[in-house]
Amino acid sequence: MGVRLAATKLHIPPSAARRPTFLPFVAVLLLCSASYLLGVWQHGGFASPSESPAVSIATAVACTTAAAPATRKKAPSARARSRSSPSEPSRALDFSAHHAAAADEALTSAASSGSSSSSSSASPRRYPACPVRYSEYTPCEDVERSLRYPRDRLVYRERHCPASERERLRCLVPAPRGYRTPFPWPASRDVAWFANVPHKELTVEKAVQNWIRVDGDKLRFPGGGTMFPNGADAYIDDIGKIIPLHDGSIRTALDTGCGVASWGAYLLSRDILAMSFAPRDSHEAQVQFALERGVPAMIGVLASNRLTYPARAFDMAHCSRCLIPWQLYDGLYLIEVDRVLRPGGYWILSGPPINWKKYWKGWERTKEDLNAEQQAIEAVARSLCWNKVKEAGDIAVWQKPYNHAGCKASRKAKSPPFCSGKNPDAAWYDKMEACITPLPEVSGASDVAGGAVKKWPQRLTAVPPRVSRGGIRGVTAKSFAQDTELWRRRVRHYKSVISQFEQKGRYRNVLDMNARLGGFAAALAAAGDPLWVMNMVPTVGNTTTLGAIYERGLIGSYQDWCEGMSTYPRTYDLIHADSVFTLYKNRCEMDRILLEMDRVLRPRGTVIIRDDVDMLVKVKSVADGMRWDSQIVDHENGPLVREKILLVVKKYWTAQDQDQ
């Protein structure tokens, strides 16, 4: 009776209900089996190991080194063991830094002879080492290529990247012979290995100015400068007597023509983060020296293009005898400084022509010439509505207005006009224009255009004004707070799988290739790690976020990762790449980006790549041919998430090992 009732509800004939058959079950079983076998065949289940590389996915990386605490060592989980290739077991990555070159070579030799690949039994494409002459190669500031461009206004020193595949290097840039891991911060501020940056030109040219000197196998940086013979600390103290450097209101600074970046190096102890830049080879390796010291710096020049930073980025800008003709070209270079200065920001000038009455003989210029230059600079500053705060001794300071409410009425007819229509944040090969970048409108004369930022360190986690005012599409105060918490959790996960994060000073120079809102850098800063992060915002994404990164008190730049970065080789200890390869999937070859990452990464440096697992498998297949050790680990939310993390350690090798 029950069977007949059920059959009626399901519209099955009563006769069928009385005579059950197993034919449907057999048919379903056959279909499932066929589907399973087809899936196995499509994923290479019947291929030989050489045809279909296996990928090791671990839930944790055991960073078992002599320096790592025993509590940080983790045995592979059962899931990791089951996913590893049986013939080639996964091995732990060594994230440790090794300072002695001889020990480095021995460890590298032992690692290569006693271990096997964690990803595949197939041989990936091997990238050869570049000739030793490329050990300081900067693709977009190549000295030979630059000579093809005009000398006028230093245009030839701007970015000029390889225009064809024939010009691009498809090899690994070698470290110089005898390269050693840089000294950890804060020791690196004052000392570096000579073998890492083997240049003596500045020690001779700037000997009396105390920039740098050779001390045996080391380079020492006494903290001197052209305009601060008593040292950068004393010079900064003099600036602090004019503007507030100690209350957290000034956090981001721009140093034009930075030399070896001693000004930026000594500002760090005051919680002020400076972006220092200078052109390639104005003085040999000056930006390279800065980066070797662990000080933020980029190759750059004021010529015809805008600086690669958004409008209203810096709280303070500085020039100490930087040799920039501020008064020329209708004040174009001061107009560009005005664009990147925050409302109420300061511009500091020392050196010619300031205090010319004292120095004119030593500068080998006439009184009339120097006086005319200063008057011209003063006139440009007035046309920008800047207020001269004070001139004291060798230092002069101007302040940008908090808004432009009363600026138009007070400016003379000859003043440059306000720009119209152009995106004030656009700064990737965008030309400078002799017009003032207008500040956002205000409702009252005392308002800060665009919104005031909190003092440091509160501004690190406070909602940036560009977010709270709806200036970034798709980002709200709530989503910003969620993003901040997300990256705190992700950084905790990184530290759980890379024990060297716990070693203070292990990572100093950090690059985030797709910074978005700067959450990764903010999480590291909030944890008190003694490092700095260069937050790069790809030009193919939402570039409006870079302004918010600066409002958080962090620094960064725009970047197209199909091109080279404006920095020297061996710049960074740690590179973080979140979804970079998915972002550039149809834009340029994967190995072009990976080779650039290898160029700017220091030997034994670390790379963290987040992406979809299918993309990471492709990335790993290329990375394994680049003298990188790599391993895929699970997402912080567990193995069921498609996004995975590829952890990489760059092997130690130098120009003398390039044939190995």
Side-chain angles (χ1 to χ4, degrees):
M1 182 70 179
V3 172
R4 182 170 297 182
L5 179 61
T8 302
K9 289 182 178 179
L10 295 173
H11 306 288
I12 299 174
S15 59
R18 287 193 298 270
R19 296 189 302 275
T21 176
F22 292 99
L23 288 177
F25 297 101
V26 174
V28 170
L29 181 62
L30 290 174
L31 286 173
C32 289
S33 300
S35 176
Y36 173 77
L37 293 173
L38 178 62
V40 170
W41 176 78
Q42 286 179 332
H43 287 80
F46 302 122
S48 66
S50 61
E51 294 170 335
S52 179
V55 178
S56 170
I57 302 180
T59 56
V61 174
C63 302
T64 52
T65 68
T71 55
R72 302 296 297 181
K73 299 180 182 179
K74 297 184 179 181
S77 66
R79 189 186 308 275
R81 289 193 297 271
S82 66
R83 292 183 178 180
S84 297
S85 171
S87 60
E88 295 180 324
S90 173
R91 63 186 176 87
L93 300 187
D94 180 9
F95 293 92
S96 297
H98 303 271
H99 289 263
D104 286 346
E105 294 168 15
L107 285 170
T108 302
S109 175
S112 60
S113 63
S115 59
S116 57
S117 170
S118 63
S119 66
S120 171
S121 58
S123 297
R125 172 184 172 182
R126 299 292 175 185
Y127 291 86
C130 304
V132 67
R133 68 178 182 274
Y134 291 106
S135 67
E136 295 181 355
Y137 180 65
T138 54
C140 296
E141 285 86 10
D142 180 60
V143 177
E144 293 183 7
R145 185 182 301 107
S146 70
L147 297 178
R148 307 174 193 170
Y149 296 89
R151 298 296 186 95
D152 182 50
R153 285 176 46 187
L154 300 181
V155 168
Y156 75 108
R157 283 184 171 161
E158 290 185 313
R159 286 176 57 88
H160 302 291
C161 300
S164 66
E165 288 299 320
R166 182 176 54 84
E167 286 188 284
R168 292 189 174 92
L169 292 183
R170 294 281 181 172
C171 54
L172 306 176
V173 174
R177 290 176 174 85
Y179 177 89
R180 305 172 77 174
T181 301
F183 290 91
W185 185 267
S188 64
R189 187 191 72 174
D190 303 321
V191 63
W193 297 111
F194 178 77
N196 292 7
V197 194
H199 296 288
K200 293 185 177 180
E201 292 85 349
L202 279 178
T203 67
V204 176
E205 184 176 346
K206 300 293 182 180
V208 298
Q209 295 165 11
N210 227 16
W211 279 26
I212 183 175
R213 57 186 174 87
V214 177
D215 181 9
D217 60 352
K218 301 178 184 66
L219 294 162
R220 297 201 178 272
F221 303 90
T226 306
M227 293 309 300
F228 33 97
N230 297 323
D233 253 340
Y235 175 76
I236 293 170
D237 285 341
D238 289 340
I239 295 174
K241 296 172 184 176
I242 304 174
I243 60 177
L245 296 181
H246 305 284
D247 64 355
S249 60
I250 296 176
R251 165 62 180 174
T252 56
L254 180 68
D255 192 12
T256 57
C258 63
V260 296
S262 288
W263 188 70
Y266 282 83
L267 280 174
L268 289 167
S269 63
R270 295 161 170 83
D271 277 337
I272 297 175
L273 191 59
M275 173 74 82
S276 301
F277 75 87
R280 167 86 196 245
D281 292 330
S282 176
H283 295 303
E284 189 68 44
Q286 54 185 335
V287 169
Q288 193 175 15
F289 282 129
L291 292 162
E292 192 70 17
R293 301 174 70 183
V295 179
M298 290 181 66
I299 299 173
V301 64
L302 276 167
S304 67
N305 293 327
R306 283 181 168 182
L307 298 173
T308 57
Y309 318 119
R312 298 180 282 125
F314 297 97
D315 304 316
M316 172 172 64
H318 172 258
C319 162
S320 175
R321 199 170 187 179
C322 59
L323 305 179
I324 295 173
W326 300 110
Q327 77 282 11
L328 299 183
Y329 315 118
D330 298 320
L332 193 65
Y333 299 147
L334 268 186
I335 290 173
E336 177 63 3
V337 170
D338 178 79
R339 182 184 72 86
V340 300
L341 266 184
R342 282 193 53 73
Y346 299 96
W347 183 58
I348 303 159
L349 176 64
S350 66
I354 303 304
N355 207 6
W356 59 265
K357 294 179 181 179
K358 178 179 178 181
Y359 294 111
W360 69 275
K361 290 184 179 179
W363 291 339
E364 298 181 350
R365 293 174 61 183
T366 65
K367 296 179 181 180
E368 293 75 16
D369 181 32
L370 288 163
N371 183 52
E373 180 181 341
Q374 177 153 356
Q375 294 305 315
I377 290 173
E378 302 267 13
V380 175
R382 285 193 298 271
S383 74
L384 298 172
C385 296
W386 290 5
N387 173 54
K388 189 171 185 181
V389 178
K390 190 174 183 179
E391 182 173 332
D394 301 340
I395 301 170
V397 179
W398 287 261
Q399 185 176 23
K400 178 178 177 176
Y402 286 100
N403 58 64
H404 282 155
C407 187
K408 291 183 179 180
S410 63
R411 292 163 69 250
K412 296 181 180 179
K414 293 184 178 179
S415 298
F418 282 92
C419 304
S420 59
K422 188 169 184 178
N423 179 5
D425 292 337
W428 188 249
Y429 297 112
D430 290 83
K431 297 298 180 184
M432 288 187 282
E433 296 180 5
C435 57
I436 301 173
T437 299
L439 291 172
E441 295 295 328
V442 294
S443 56
S446 61
D447 292 346
V448 177
V453 295
K454 301 286 186 181
K455 291 185 177 181
W456 182 264
Q458 288 77 23
R459 68 190 279 187
L460 180 66
T461 53
V463 178
R466 299 188 197 220
V467 172
S468 62
R469 291 171 175 245
I472 302 179
R473 186 179 65 255
V475 181
T476 64
K478 181 179 179 181
S479 64
F480 172 82
Q482 292 171 339
D483 183 78
T484 300
E485 181 55 37
L486 171 68
W487 282 106
R488 284 178 178 170
R489 182 158 46 86
R490 288 180 169 179
V491 166
R492 286 196 297 268
H493 180 63
Y494 294 157
K495 292 184 177 183
S496 73
V497 296
I498 304 176
S499 63
Q500 276 62 33
F501 261 113
E502 301 301 327
Q503 298 176 8
K504 295 298 183 183
R506 171 63 186 92
Y507 300 121
R508 174 62 186 171
N509 300 0
V510 180
L511 171 66
D512 192 355
M513 296 177 66
N514 185 16
R516 293 191 173 93
L517 293 169
F520 173 65
L524 291 173
D529 296 323
L531 50 77
W532 60 272
V533 181
M534 184 69 77
N535 294 280
M536 306 305 277
V537 172
T539 56
V540 299
N542 183 1
T543 59
T544 59
T545 62
L546 188 55
I549 288 172
Y550 275 94
E551 288 179 341
R552 301 185 76 169
L554 305 170
I555 60 171
S557 175
Y558 299 114
Q559 176 65 35
D560 181 352
W561 288 114
C562 291
E563 299 180 358
M565 187 178 171
S566 291
T567 192
Y568 282 86
R570 301 170 301 282
T571 292
Y572 293 99
D573 306 298
L574 172 66
I575 297 177
H576 183 259
D578 178 17
S579 305
V580 169
F581 292 94
T582 292
L583 185 63
Y584 281 89
K585 181 170 57 176
N586 299 317
R587 300 180 184 275
C588 56
E589 299 87 344
M590 180 183 294
D591 68 344
R592 187 187 298 182
I593 300 174
L594 285 166
L595 287 169
E596 177 63 6
M597 292 168 69
D598 181 81
R599 184 185 73 87
V600 304
L601 183 65
R602 288 171 170 169
R604 288 231 163 81
T606 302
V607 181
I608 303 172
I609 304 175
R610 304 180 66 96
D611 223 310
D612 182 85
V613 63
D614 290 342
M615 179 62 72
L616 285 190
V617 170
K618 297 175 184 177
V619 172
K620 187 174 182 358
S621 69
V622 178
D624 285 347
M626 297 173 54
R627 307 194 191 193
W628 287 9
D629 286 331
S630 63
Q631 188 172 35
I632 297 177
V633 304
D634 279 327
H635 189 276
E636 60 270 7
N637 290 343
L640 300 182
V641 181
R642 281 195 58 85
E643 183 178 80
K644 303 294 180 185
I645 303 168
L646 178 64
L647 299 180
V648 172
V649 177
K650 180 178 177 177
K651 297 178 182 178
Y652 173 88
W653 63 280
T654 70
Q656 66 197 57
D657 310 313
Q658 60 182 336
D659 295 328
Q660 296 180 1

